[in-house]
């Protein structure tokens, strides 16, 4: 289940908007081998709030588009399906029947700015950032070039399957 909270007032969030994000989450998680119930929290913020969170969490005092806080641990270069496919999770990783995957913080203000900068829709940018964050929750990263290529390829594969185009 996706739990959302809105802490910004600059952009409207509709039920349809949330439904589309949930579709991206469900599809991406299934594509990556998450078969059971899951729990992710998604916090919508503005640029100032994400800057504060980025500074507190990562000691980087600047605005970013999305932050991901995974609950599961991953070995270097490994992702969810490499480690946890078929794994029976301990209760510490669950909330009832839901596997707790982590938290995402998304600046809708930054998503709007980037959609204009990259010349595609706001909806596409939000869905891309949600997918990007989910992949981080599942162990993907882009700190080294090899991992970055792997992550970008996976993003494009999933976006194409969802028919979310630039």
């Amino acid at each position: 289940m996706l739990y959302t909270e809105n802490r910004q007032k600059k952009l409207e969030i509709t039920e349809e908007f949330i439904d589309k994000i949930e579709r991206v989450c469900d599809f991406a998680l299934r594509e990556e081998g998450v078969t059971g119930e899951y729990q992710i929290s998604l916090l919508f913020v503005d640029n100032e709030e994400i800057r504060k969170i980025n500074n507190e969490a990562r000691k980087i005092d600047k605005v970013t588009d999305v932050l991901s806080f995974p609950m599961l641990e991953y070995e270097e270069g490994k992702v969810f399906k490499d480690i946890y496919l078929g794994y029976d999770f301990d209760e510490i990783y669950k909330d009832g029947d839901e596997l707790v995957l982590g938290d995402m913080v998304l600046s809708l203000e930054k998503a709007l700015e980037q959609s204009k900068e990259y010349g595609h829709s706001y909806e596409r940018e939000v869905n891309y950032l949600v997918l990007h964050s989910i992949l981080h929750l599942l162990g993907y990263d882009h700190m080294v070039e090899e991992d970055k290529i792997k992550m970008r390829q996976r993003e494009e594969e999933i976006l194409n399957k969802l028919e979310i185009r630039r």
Side-chain angles (χ1 to χ4, degrees), residues 141-154:
D141 209 348
H142 47 78
M143 298 306 285
V144 298
E145 192 61 28
E146 182 181 334
D147 292 341
K148 182 178 182 177
I149 290 167
K150 182 178 168 183
M151 186 172 185
R152 296 292 182 251
Q153 284 177 329
R154 197 62 183 129

Side-chain angles (χ1 to χ4, degrees), residues 15-31:
E15 207 170 298
E16 179 184 8
F17 181 81
I18 298 294
D19 288 346
K20 288 179 181 178
I21 290 172
E22 286 177 337
R23 180 176 164 255
V24 169
C25 289
D26 285 338
F27 187 84
L29 291 169
R30 301 304 171 230
E31 284 285 305

Side-chain angles (χ1 to χ4, degrees), residues 58-131:
R58 300 172 62 220
K59 305 296 183 235
I60 299 173
D61 190 15
K62 72 177 217 175
V63 173
T64 190
D65 46 17
V66 68
L67 293 168
S68 309
F69 300 97
M71 292 298 290
L72 301 176
E73 294 183 24
Y74 300 93
E75 298 169 32
E76 182 89 21
K78 302 278 186 185
V79 297
F80 182 89
K81 59 187 170 185
D82 297 332
I83 300 171
Y84 296 115
L85 204 57
Y87 184 80
D88 189 21
F89 287 92
D90 298 333
E91 291 302 312
I92 59 168
Y93 296 108
K94 293 183 130 185
D95 184 3
D97 290 333
E98 295 175 339
L99 176 61
V100 180
L101 293 172
D103 303 321
M104 303 184 294
V105 181
L106 174 61
S107 172
L108 295 178
E109 184 179 6
K110 186 70 170 173
L112 180 61
E113 291 169 7
Q114 288 178 174
S115 71
K116 292 174 183 175
E117 180 183 336
Y118 300 139
H120 53 242
S121 73
Y122 167 67
E123 180 181 309
R124 192 265 181 210
E125 185 66 16
V126 167
N127 286 321
Y128 166 76
L129 292 172
V130 166
L131 172 59

Side-chain angles (χ1 to χ4, degrees), residues 20-56:
K20 288 179 181 178
I21 290 172
E22 286 177 337
R23 180 176 164 255
V24 169
C25 289
D26 285 338
F27 187 84
L29 291 169
R30 301 304 171 230
E31 284 285 305
E32 287 296 307
V34 178
T35 56
E37 296 297 314
Y38 66 86
Q39 185 178 115
I40 295 173
S41 66
L42 173 56
L43 179 62
F44 298 112
V45 297
D46 59 21
N47 284 348
E48 183 57 27
E49 184 69 17
I50 206 163
R51 184 195 62 74
K52 288 178 189 172
I53 296 169
N54 198 20
N55 191 33
E56 289 170 14

